[in-house]
Amino acid sequence: MTKDNNFRLEFPTDTEVMGADMSEPPKPPTVASQESDVNGVSDFSVFEDYGDCSNEIPVPPKNTGKIVAIVIAAIVVIALIGGIACWMLSNNSKKSAITSAAAQCQDSTSQLQSANNTLSDALEIGKTGAKVTADQVADVSTVTKLNAAISNAKEAKILSCDTSQGISKLKKSAKAMASEARSMNDKAEKITNAAEAVDASKVLAMQNRLKGQLNDAIEQAQSVLDNSDGMVADDSVRVALQQAIDSARNLANGTNLKENDVTAAVDALNAAKDAVQQAMDQYQEASSTPNTVTNNTNIGTNGGSNGGAANSPDNTAGGAAAGGAAGGAGGGGGEAGGGGGGAPRHEAYQKALEAFHEKYPNITVSPTYGAWSGWEEKQSTALAADQGSDVMQVNWNWLYQYSPTGEKFVDLREYSDVIDLSQWSDTAKNACIVADSLQAVPISMTGRIFYWNMNTFKQAGIEAVPTSYDDLIAAGKAFQEKLGNDYYPLAIGQYDRMILMTFYLESKYGKAWVENNECQYSEEEIVDGLNFIKSLEDNHVIPTRPTMIAAGFDSIDKSQEWIDGKYAGIFEWDSAPSKYQSALADNSGFTVGEEIKFGDKANGGFSKVSMGMAITKSCQHPVEAAALIDFLWNGEGAAIMGSECGIPASTAGLAAAQAADAVKPLVLEANTKVLAFVDMPLDPYYESSKLKDTTDGVYTDVFDGFSYGDYDAEEAAEILLDGVSGVLSANA
């Protein structure tokens, strides 16, 4: 018989065995090498190690002798005994291995049960946080992450540790359950951490809400205080209001605000504010005089409309109203309105109106001022009801938004004998022609430019203002490494990011943001623009929106970070440097920067009418209103207004302001640089309230959501393009 191990075994016949002479002891078999030839048998070997537990019996070489037969028989017996011993050893070893594998499996079962319990506890903790709404947290992404962690967590199945499965399955079960236990513990930890983040975000949101509530009340009170200077009989009410403001500011600058404390502070502010407002009303009532008709004032000579009189006040009773973004005026008896610009602009208007009344004593001007926040909503309501002020300082896009067919504002060309329209360039005037009607004259033309606090830049080892993208990136690195994580070269809000991204795209791609009422950029190109903004965050050039929101300020100039120099740059209108410079604790390094060209297709960027002066069609005294506009921006009033509303767009107005040394060098420098650089038109709906509203506008949604990580670049680009296209199509 031939065996697999390539040797051959031959047994003698039964006769030979039985007849053998057993008187002599058996001799061992002869062992030959593979090269020898024994009885004609070759290519074989004999196992010398009988300890092998193989079921096969070692095969001796062929031998025809009786002794060989006996030896073979003995070997068979020994081999059988050895095989039984080896089987017994093997069986015991197998039992031991099964026991070990079962123990390992049971240990993994315990681990998994414990992990499941841990996960169950974490899920219970996370349930409360998962129910939190977006308005309850400062960072809505914390809730999103918690819900994601919860949805990804499921209790793991306990596997069987039955020994009948065999060693292999037991070990596999043990390994699988151990791995699942680790996974469950990781998931539990993520849920716990996410729940803690939600709780912290809730606390922060409450602090932000309280701080915002307090700051809003402070701002309103401060506006009343500013407007009441010289307008009350007893100044003690203003002193009390100032004390309430100071106390509220100290509270707002603190940490861990309490609801009761904020409520008390707001109540105190409102009470003091109401007292001042009442005193102002009493003072105005006591000092007011009836409007009179006079015949000795010559404002115009001929023409006329909207009142049936010639363009002369000789036959009119100077009754009018005015309003706008920084104060306006009209003839007596009405209300005037304005908002924004701060105390310096307010004071300039007051002085200019006093000078106007000295020149035209028969015309009484009643101005009203207010903060920009909520101003558009108030004026749009008034315009819709035909109750707008006679003269309004308007944002440029209002002409398109509220008077697209010329229904709300008069065509100022009808009063060209009162207003010297030749003082404005055709470009400036054309920007205000809507529905073939010159509905306003531009007070100034403006655009965006960088301003830098070079004191902080020098602390970071930078001596020159940034003039390129690479300079910005290098500045971000230097600020972080040398000054710390709280210092940034630049700080920009949601709308600032939109404008800067537009500058970037127009420079890189060489086309205006909007032309022919259509956005000229694809989603892919907008993704590029968004990633540009993201690169500024990632390289520590600008703080993230969560970082800025957590600081709790409503405008950068009011932030402690700007005041202290931790925010060392802004991207703002050329007319705005005064409020930023004056807010700095040390403003010695405040500098007008340079425009930055981000691509090679165009300079990019745009200028616009910063604000305009318009006369409403409900005005009963348009001639007087026209005279006021000419006085403020072409005449003596321009010397008083100076550059408080930007560099005058009127040639005569600028000359008068410069002659009076009333043009701020920083504003002039910034305006000159802007107008020399920008080369793209601005779509009038770029500033639509649906797009730029700071609460629920598209720009806010996109840039806050993108910075928080709620949207990736592709999602944010889609939302932005859809929002812009929706506004454009609605106004087509």
Side-chain angles (χ1 to χ4, degrees):
M1 95 191 250
T2 303
K3 294 300 212 178
D4 292 339
N5 46 1
N6 203 26
F7 63 83
R8 190 167 56 195
L9 174 64
E10 294 184 5
F11 291 96
T13 65
D14 292 342
T15 304
E16 290 175 324
V17 175
M18 295 299 293
D21 187 0
M22 303 299 293
S23 61
E24 295 181 8
K27 295 180 180 180
T30 302
V31 180
S33 68
Q34 291 183 349
E35 291 79 15
S36 65
D37 186 356
V38 180
N39 295 327
V41 181
S42 61
D43 296 324
F44 70 90
S45 59
V46 177
F47 289 111
E48 295 181 316
D49 185 4
Y50 287 88
D52 186 0
C53 295
S54 169
N55 292 324
E56 297 179 2
I57 301 173
V59 182
K62 182 179 178 181
N63 194 316
T64 58
K66 297 177 183 179
I67 295 176
V68 173
I70 295 172
V71 171
I72 292 295
I75 291 173
V76 170
V77 174
I78 293 170
L80 289 172
I81 295 172
I84 293 170
C86 287
W87 181 88
M88 292 176 64
L89 290 172
S90 176
N91 191 45
N92 290 334
S93 176
K94 184 176 181 179
K95 286 182 178 180
S96 177
I98 291 176
T99 301
S100 176
Q104 186 180 354
C105 184
Q106 289 295 341
D107 183 60
S108 294
T109 299
S110 299
Q111 293 178 29
L112 186 54
Q113 288 174 336
S114 176
N116 276 333
N117 292 336
T118 301
L119 181 61
S120 179
D121 293 341
L123 287 170
E124 193 65 30
I125 294 171
K127 284 181 181 179
T128 302
K131 297 177 182 178
V132 172
T133 58
D135 60 336
Q136 293 177 299
V137 291
D139 182 359
V140 71
S141 69
T142 58
V143 180
T144 303
K145 291 177 181 178
L146 175 59
N147 280 299
I150 291 174
S151 65
N152 193 39
K154 297 179 181 178
E155 187 174 303
K157 181 181 179 181
I158 304 296
L159 302 178
S160 173
C161 292
D162 188 350
T163 56
S164 65
Q165 299 178 96
I167 296 173
S168 178
K169 286 187 177 181
L170 285 170
K171 287 184 175 180
K172 286 181 179 178
S173 296
K175 185 177 181 181
M177 288 191 290
S179 176
E180 192 64 31
R182 290 191 295 272
S183 177
M184 292 297 97
N185 286 325
D186 288 343
K187 291 176 180 179
E189 184 178 5
K190 287 181 180 178
I191 293 172
T192 302
N193 292 340
E196 291 174 352
V198 170
D199 289 340
S201 190
K202 285 177 64 179
V203 172
L204 181 58
M206 184 187 71
Q207 290 295 303
N208 290 343
R209 176 180 63 79
L210 293 175
K211 187 169 288 190
Q213 180 183 349
L214 191 55
N215 284 332
D216 287 345
I218 292 172
E219 184 177 357
Q220 295 173 16
Q222 186 65 55
S223 177
V224 171
L225 182 65
D226 292 342
N227 295 337
S228 65
D229 189 14
M231 301 294 292
V232 296
D234 183 2
D235 214 46
S236 63
V237 292
R238 297 185 72 250
V239 173
L241 178 57
Q242 182 65 70
Q243 291 173 344
I245 292 172
D246 292 341
S247 178
R249 279 181 174 154
N250 287 335
L251 180 61
N253 290 332
T255 58
N256 194 24
L257 296 177
K258 301 293 191 296
E259 185 92 37
N260 291 340
D261 294 341
V262 172
T263 300
V266 171
D267 289 344
L269 283 169
N270 289 336
K273 180 185 67 175
D274 292 344
V276 172
Q277 190 63 62
Q278 184 177 3
M280 290 175 64
D281 294 342
Q282 293 171 349
Y283 180 85
Q284 193 168 12
E285 183 178 352
S287 60
S288 63
T289 56
N291 297 325
T292 58
V293 177
T294 60
N295 297 309
N296 59 358
T297 303
N298 185 17
I299 297 179
T301 56
N302 54 32
S305 65
N306 296 330
N311 287 353
S312 168
D314 293 350
N315 298 316
T316 62
E335 293 182 352
R345 186 178 295 176
H346 171 202
E347 294 171 1
Y349 264 119
Q350 287 289 96
K351 292 178 180 178
L353 295 178
E354 290 172 4
F356 177 78
H357 187 67
E358 289 180 7
K359 185 173 183 177
Y360 305 111
N362 64 312
I363 304 175
T364 302
V365 178
S366 300
T368 300
Y369 306 89
W372 173 253
S373 178
W375 186 256
E376 181 175 354
E377 291 80 3
K378 181 179 179 181
Q379 297 309 306
S380 64
T381 301
L383 286 171
D386 292 324
Q387 296 177 351
S389 301
D390 296 325
V391 179
M392 294 186 71
Q393 182 178 291
V394 298
N395 206 35
W396 170 58
N397 67 303
W398 291 12
L399 307 178
Y400 296 85
Q401 197 162 338
Y402 304 120
S403 187
T405 61
E407 66 270 31
K408 296 301 180 182
F409 304 110
V410 305
D411 187 346
L412 296 182
R413 291 174 295 195
E414 298 176 7
Y415 301 93
S416 59
D417 55 343
V418 180
I419 306 173
D420 185 1
L421 297 176
S422 68
Q423 299 299 326
W424 283 272
S425 69
D426 289 341
T427 300
K429 287 185 292 190
N430 289 341
C432 295
I433 294 178
V434 180
D436 195 31
S437 174
L438 181 61
Q439 298 193 43
V441 289
I443 295 175
S444 63
M445 302 295 293
T446 188
R448 287 282 181 131
I449 195 169
F450 296 97
Y451 297 92
W452 308 107
N453 183 351
M454 292 308 296
N455 288 342
T456 307
F457 270 80
K458 290 177 181 179
Q459 292 174 24
I462 302 172
E463 296 293 331
V465 301
T467 59
S468 69
Y469 174 78
D470 289 342
D471 286 349
L472 292 175
I473 301 301
K477 182 179 180 181
F479 270 60
Q480 189 173 31
E481 291 180 350
K482 297 184 179 181
L483 302 179
N485 290 329
D486 294 339
Y487 285 77
Y488 294 88
L490 182 66
I492 53 177
Q494 312 101 306
Y495 186 44
D496 308 330
R497 292 169 186 235
M498 178 63 196
I499 296 176
L500 184 59
M501 187 187 78
T502 303
F503 272 51
Y504 166 83
L505 290 174
E506 291 180 343
S507 180
K508 182 174 181 179
Y509 294 98
K511 53 187 179 182
W513 176 248
V514 169
E515 284 185 348
N516 300 321
N517 211 48
E518 290 185 0
C519 184
Q520 299 301 296
Y521 286 82
S522 66
E523 285 188 15
E524 292 76 14
E525 290 168 335
I526 295 174
V527 166
D528 180 22
L530 289 167
N531 285 333
F532 159 72
I533 297 296
K534 185 65 162 59
S535 74
L536 299 181
E537 287 187 348
D538 293 343
N539 289 282
H540 204 77
V541 178
I542 61 175
T544 64
R545 288 295 298 150
T547 299
M548 297 181 73
I549 291 171
F553 54 83
D554 58 355
S555 64
I556 294 174
D557 63 296
K558 297 177 183 177
S559 72
Q560 198 62 45
E561 290 78 6
W562 172 260
I563 295 170
D564 294 340
K566 291 184 176 180
Y567 293 168
I570 50 171
F571 185 61
E572 260 292 351
W573 302 112
D574 57 31
S575 58
S578 296
K579 68 176 182 177
Y580 288 96
Q581 184 181 29
S582 61
L584 287 171
D586 179 5
N587 62 19
S588 61
F590 188 80
T591 304
V592 179
E594 301 292 336
E595 297 281 13
I596 296 178
K597 186 176 180 180
F598 296 102
D600 57 4
K601 295 292 181 65
N603 285 342
F606 52 78
S607 64
K608 67 159 192 164
V609 175
S610 64
M611 59 190 80
M613 241 358 163
I615 301 173
T616 60
K617 283 194 173 179
S618 58
C619 175
Q620 298 298 307
H621 305 282
V623 174
E624 289 81 358
L628 177 62
I629 291 175
D630 190 71
F631 179 87
L632 287 174
W633 308 116
N634 283 333
E636 300 96 309
I640 300 172
M641 293 303 301
S643 55
E644 288 299 338
C645 294
I647 300 300
S650 162
T651 302
L654 177 59
Q658 288 180 312
D661 197 24
V663 175
K664 295 178 179 178
L666 282 177
V667 179
L668 181 60
E669 180 185 356
N671 183 258
T672 302
K673 289 180 176 180
V674 166
L675 297 183
F677 178 83
V678 298
D679 55 7
M680 294 292 177
L682 177 65
D683 168 54
Y685 299 108
Y686 190 93
E687 297 182 318
S688 166
S689 58
K690 291 183 179 180
L691 296 177
K692 66 174 291 189
D693 186 88
T694 56
T695 301
D696 56 6
V698 173
Y699 300 152
T700 296
D701 181 26
V702 168
F703 287 97
D704 278 4
F706 186 46
S707 188
Y708 270 103
D710 297 336
Y711 308 132
D712 60 26
E714 287 74 17
E715 292 169 331
E718 182 180 2
I719 295 170
L720 179 58
L721 186 57
D722 287 348
V724 171
S725 299
V727 169
L728 293 174
S729 61
N731 293 280

